[in-house]
Amino acid sequence: MKLKQTLIASALVLGASVAGAQTPTGTPAPAPGMGAIATPPAAQFTPAQALEAYGWYLGKTNGFGDLGFTQAEVDSVIKGMLLARDGKESPYDLQQIGPEVDKLLRSKQEVAMAKIKEKASAEAAKLMAEVMAKPGVVALPSGVVYEIVQPGTGAYPKPTDIVKVHYTGKLVDGTVFDTSLEPREPGQPVAPAEFPLNRVIPGWTEGLQKINKGGKIKLYIPPAQGYGDSGQGAIPPGATLVFDVELLDVQAAPAEPEQPALPPVPAPAAK
């Protein structure tokens, strides 16, 4: 059953996260005096504290807070756990009650999602009211809003062009979720991003056509032109996105090789 697998996986992840001194590769850390810096001894915790941490982890990873579990609902979960602890069978047929469990969790997810979207919409509306009061800001029919920060001098990109850019993406509260101005991996140099303009979110494809090479633009992209109600990674559902973009270069996409003409298919012989 999926719920059982989730709880077991949670236990394994928690156990792995608190395992003894290990390097990222899983090999034992070097002993002090052998090129490693001695670390202070681990803090001592009681079994009760360890179990409390385990309980918190289970509740966190299974969405007790995000899904708004009430005290009575948590008590019901604990009741089921006590039955399992005592070696008793579930009082319910899991095949029959499984759809009800799924229905309950889906309804809670829908409520939680609606709250997230409502909050995001209110924050975006407040920001856009301030933005639209600024001179030089343009709103497109799609809902994308842009502001030319610095005009360029070169060509304007077409959707099929390959663009090279430096950019920083933020949520409306100022949280940076992505940027090309920092190394992608530790030790790597900072490098601009390069991609076909029609292979990114619609707000980018549309908005970046409003600036020419060498210019800088600020894009305000609503959810429908970004990642929608699903979000992605650090981007929450229903998020309005704010991008600062510098268009460094524009290049036409290489022409696709022509496909050789196929010989005509001979007509079937008459019988």
Side-chain angles (χ1 to χ4, degrees):
M1 183 181 177
K2 183 178 289 186
L3 178 59
K4 181 179 179 181
Q5 293 172 342
T6 301
L7 295 178
I8 292 174
S10 299
L12 292 175
V13 171
L14 181 62
S17 67
V18 297
Q22 300 281 318
T23 63
T25 59
T27 56
M34 299 295 291
I37 299 175
T39 56
Q44 298 299 311
F45 298 102
T46 65
Q49 290 172 325
L51 289 173
E52 181 180 351
Y54 178 55
W56 174 89
Y57 188 83
L58 291 179
K60 184 70 174 179
T61 55
N62 287 283
F64 281 24
D66 295 336
L67 299 182
F69 275 57
T70 65
Q71 183 61 54
E73 290 168 336
V74 173
D75 291 342
S76 294
V77 173
I78 293 174
K79 182 178 179 181
M81 295 178 73
L82 291 174
L83 289 174
R85 180 204 63 181
D86 296 338
K88 298 180 180 179
E89 294 296 325
S90 170
Y92 312 103
D93 184 294
L94 299 184
Q95 294 295 329
Q96 292 181 347
I97 202 170
E100 291 301 317
V101 174
D102 185 65
K103 179 181 177 182
L104 172 65
L105 295 180
R106 284 182 181 275
S107 67
K108 284 187 167 295
Q109 289 172 343
E110 290 173 359
V111 172
M113 186 69 68
K115 290 181 179 179
I116 292 173
K117 290 170 59 179
E118 182 179 1
K119 179 181 178 183
S121 178
E123 292 175 344
K126 180 180 178 181
L127 173 66
M128 295 313 300
E130 298 173 356
V131 169
M132 294 306 300
K134 298 168 60 177
V137 173
V138 179
L140 300 173
S142 65
V144 173
V145 173
Y146 72 91
E147 175 185 359
I148 302 298
V149 177
Q150 174 184 302
T153 57
Y156 287 83
K158 301 185 295 293
T160 54
D161 287 340
I162 296 174
V163 296
K164 181 184 291 187
V165 298
H166 266 312
Y167 69 93
T168 296
K170 300 178 182 179
L171 303 178
V172 295
D173 64 0
T175 300
V176 175
F177 60 82
D178 193 15
T179 181
S180 65
L181 299 176
E182 295 178 1
R184 291 292 179 180
E185 298 290 341
Q188 289 187 352
V190 172
E194 189 171 348
F195 46 80
L197 189 54
N198 58 4
R199 299 290 181 88
V200 288
I201 56 175
W204 261 76
T205 303
E206 180 181 29
L208 212 59
Q209 294 180 70
K210 304 301 180 181
I211 190 68
N212 49 349
K213 179 180 175 180
K216 297 180 180 181
I217 191 171
K218 199 175 191 75
L219 299 174
Y220 302 87
I221 301 177
Q225 302 300 316
Y227 292 97
D229 291 340
S230 59
Q232 180 171 307
I235 301 172
T240 292
L241 311 176
V242 182
F243 284 96
D244 291 292
V245 187
E246 180 180 6
L247 182 56
L248 302 173
D249 196 12
V250 178
Q251 294 181 350
E256 296 185 2
E258 293 185 6
Q259 298 295 326
L262 297 176
V265 177
K271 294 183 179 181

